[in-house]
Structures are given as structure tokens and as C-alpha cells.
Amino acid sequence: MSDNDATPADLGLPEKPRRRGGAVAVIAVVLIAVVAAVLYAVNSGSDDTAAGRTKVRIGVTDASKEYWKTYKELAAEQGIDLETVNFSDYHQANPALSQRQIDLNLFQHVLFLANYDVSNDDTLTPIGSSYVVPLSLYSQKHTDVAAIPQGGTVAVPNDKTNQARALLVLQQAGLIKLKGGGTVLSTPADIDTAASKVTVVPVDAAQTVASLPSVDGAIVNNNFALDADLDPSAALFGDDPNSPDSAPYINVFVTRAEDKDNPVYHKLVELYRDKRVADQVLADSKGTSVSVDRTQAELEGILAGLTETVRGAK
């Protein structure tokens, strides 16, 4: 781990020194005040680390990727000392942002954010877009969708947002039919079984690859597919990242509502689109990521619509 990488455990406050009376107590109080001031500055998201420089902490789930090194170098050239805070659990990064432990995060699509905000009565907001990746159907038994037999089984992620997207992918592939055409919140209960070709088996998203030998196919999140060295070009089917229907799945830079106009954060959004970073992101995704350039106002509009949909389903 480099000097500008951190983990959630690194965000805690140090133990308060014990008072020992007299001059020692005075020194301790002074030290506590200094430490508190420094920590406040770090957690404020725009502290001056040196004359004309700003420190920003960004929460991610893939800090070891090469493009983060390039991105940090570009940020440093603009006077921004960028620190990545890596989260192994997707559900930690938004609370950390809300609690001001980090300043931004980049790991989630807009629908994930809408679900978080509604469930937690929060107002985290997107300020910039990055890319969309497809959600694809893989199989170890068949080489095309038509070969999947009537009554076959397909594994899908069991988490709310990915499961609904997976069901929509299977409907587009002609393997199931959803009542009313389906929505971004569809569940297996919405499947018209009589009109569907296959049976859906929900599993943990991390287990979709492991399920491939025992099912006719599995919808696998892009990150798990790449980690398992699945060839994206061998996928039987996937949704189209260029489609207007992909808007809920745009990966976004997110911050607190009161910080959404922070010029430093917007500079970081701009730097992420630099060709040197974009090329590395594309290469890392094996050519599957599609860069998206949506304005903050457009992203806020997408979030507002999804938030209304999520609230309406509660």
C-alpha cells in the first residue's frame, strides 16, 4: 500500500492520551488539539497539504488497478493530492462518504445510489459520469442462446439492483418474459413462468461464475467475469451499454449534496476522462467499458427518476 492509499480502518481517530497532571497534561491537551485540527482538515475533503495544494480522499473498490496510479499523477499535476480508500464491501463506501470519512466515491451506478439514498434517508448525489459496462450471459454448456433448452436453468445475482438488471437481460435474450415488461426493480416473482423458456436461480453475485458447471447459463457481473478470466467476447448475450435503457447503470462520481459544486471535485471528474486514464480503464475491462459523458444536471435527473421509482416500490 502506497502513502496515498488507505483502508477504512485507517480512518479511525487515535486513542486520546491519558492525562498525567501538571505540565504533561498541558502538553497532552495541546497535542490533542493539534491532532484534532489535522484530522478535521483531512476529513473536510479539501485541506491544504502544502501551499496551493489540496488533498482529496476518494472511496473505490479497485485501488490496485493501474489506472488509479495514472489518475493520481494527473491530479498531482493539478495540485490535488488524491488518496484512494479501498473498500472490499460495496455497502461501506456510501456510509463513509455520508460520515465525511471520504470526500468522493466512484464504485456504483445510479440505481445503486438511488436504493442507498432511499433506504438510508440520505442525499448523496452524482456529480460526474465515468462508464457503463455490460451485464452478460455466460455458459459452459452452450455456445449460443438458442441452444439453451426449454426448462433449462440460469443463475442470476440475488442482490436487488443486479438481479433486476439480469432479469431484463434474460428477457431481451428471449429466455424469460416479465409481467408488464419488467422494471429496474423486477424480481423473480415478476416472471411469467408459463411464457418463459428457462427457470431462474438466484445466487450470490460472487458465486455466479462458480455456478456455471451446474446450470445452463449464468448472468455474471463484469468484475467477477474478468476476475475469473472469462472471455467477454464469448458471452452469449449482454445488454447494450450504448442504449438509453443503460442510464440507470452509469457508474458515477458521488459526493454529499452540500459539496456537489466543489470545483476541485469537478476537476477530478474532468481528469478521469483524460485519454491516458480512459485507455487504461478500457484495457482493464478487456474492451467492455463504454465511456459516458453526462452532465451533472442529467445525472441528477436520472437519480431523481430512479429515486421516485424506488420510493414507489416501498
Side-chain angles (χ1 to χ4, degrees):
M1 184 170 67
S2 66
D3 290 340
N4 58 351
D5 287 322
T7 65
D10 296 325
L11 301 177
L13 295 172
E15 278 192 35
K16 183 176 180 179
R18 294 180 179 178
R19 297 183 61 183
R20 297 183 179 180
V24 174
V26 173
I27 293 172
V29 170
V30 172
L31 286 174
I32 291 169
V34 171
V35 171
V38 171
L39 288 174
Y40 175 82
V42 168
N43 289 328
S44 69
S46 58
D47 61 305
D48 293 330
T49 57
R53 302 196 66 79
T54 303
K55 181 174 181 179
V56 176
R57 284 186 164 188
I58 184 167
V60 302
T61 57
D62 57 354
S64 64
K65 298 296 186 181
E66 187 66 21
Y67 51 79
W68 285 112
K69 179 181 177 182
T70 302
Y71 186 45
K72 290 176 183 177
E73 290 172 352
L74 294 176
E77 291 172 4
Q78 299 296 319
I80 305 169
D81 294 323
L82 185 66
E83 178 181 2
T84 52
V85 179
N86 199 69
F87 294 88
S88 59
D89 181 347
Y90 287 177
H91 297 286
Q92 295 177 344
N94 279 332
L97 177 59
S98 185
Q99 295 164 16
R100 307 190 75 84
Q101 295 174 334
I102 56 177
D103 309 303
L104 295 167
N105 65 42
L106 178 59
F107 77 96
Q108 65 193 314
H109 51 54
V110 190
L111 180 56
F112 188 98
L113 175 60
N115 272 286
Y116 170 81
D117 275 353
V118 171
S119 297
N120 295 275
D121 194 25
D122 211 336
T123 57
L124 299 184
T125 188
I127 63 167
S129 58
S130 58
Y131 54 81
V132 175
V133 293
L135 187 63
S136 300
L137 172 66
Y138 291 87
S139 177
Q140 290 183 354
K141 298 180 179 180
H142 311 290
T143 56
D144 60 68
V145 172
I148 295 177
Q150 183 73 35
T153 56
V154 176
V156 298
N158 64 5
D159 58 287
K160 185 181 298 183
T161 56
N162 284 309
Q163 181 171 260
R165 186 182 181 188
L167 295 178
L168 292 172
V169 169
L170 292 179
Q171 179 169 251
Q172 292 169 28
L175 294 174
I176 65 170
K177 184 174 182 180
L178 294 166
K179 300 169 185 176
T183 72
V184 293
L185 299 177
S186 290
T187 72
D190 298 314
I191 297 174
D192 183 342
T193 55
S196 298
K197 186 178 183 180
V198 300
T199 298
V200 167
V201 181
V203 300
D204 186 276
Q207 297 302 313
T208 50
V209 173
S211 72
L212 281 169
S214 60
V215 294
D216 291 286
I219 298 289
V220 183
N221 289 65
N222 203 57
N223 59 319
F224 293 124
L226 296 177
D227 288 346
D229 291 324
L230 296 181
D231 181 2
S233 66
L236 275 58
F237 191 84
D239 54 6
D240 180 6
N242 291 299
S243 166
D245 293 335
S246 71
Y249 311 112
I250 297 171
N251 284 274
V252 285
F253 284 83
V254 176
T255 191
R256 296 171 292 274
E258 64 266 28
D259 296 326
K260 70 177 186 176
D261 296 321
N262 186 306
V264 174
Y265 300 169
H266 282 274
K267 171 58 71 173
L268 287 170
V269 172
E270 179 185 331
L271 290 174
Y272 194 83
R273 299 194 182 107
D274 185 283
K275 189 176 186 300
R276 287 165 287 184
V277 177
D279 286 350
Q280 287 183 313
V281 171
L282 182 63
D284 184 76
S285 72
K286 295 185 178 179
T288 60
S289 65
V290 175
S291 181
V292 176
D293 187 1
R294 293 290 191 97
T295 66
Q296 180 176 341
E298 289 174 321
L299 295 172
E300 288 179 338
I302 295 169
L303 177 64
L306 292 171
T307 298
E308 184 176 345
T309 298
V310 172
R311 283 203 179 109
K314 292 293 184 181

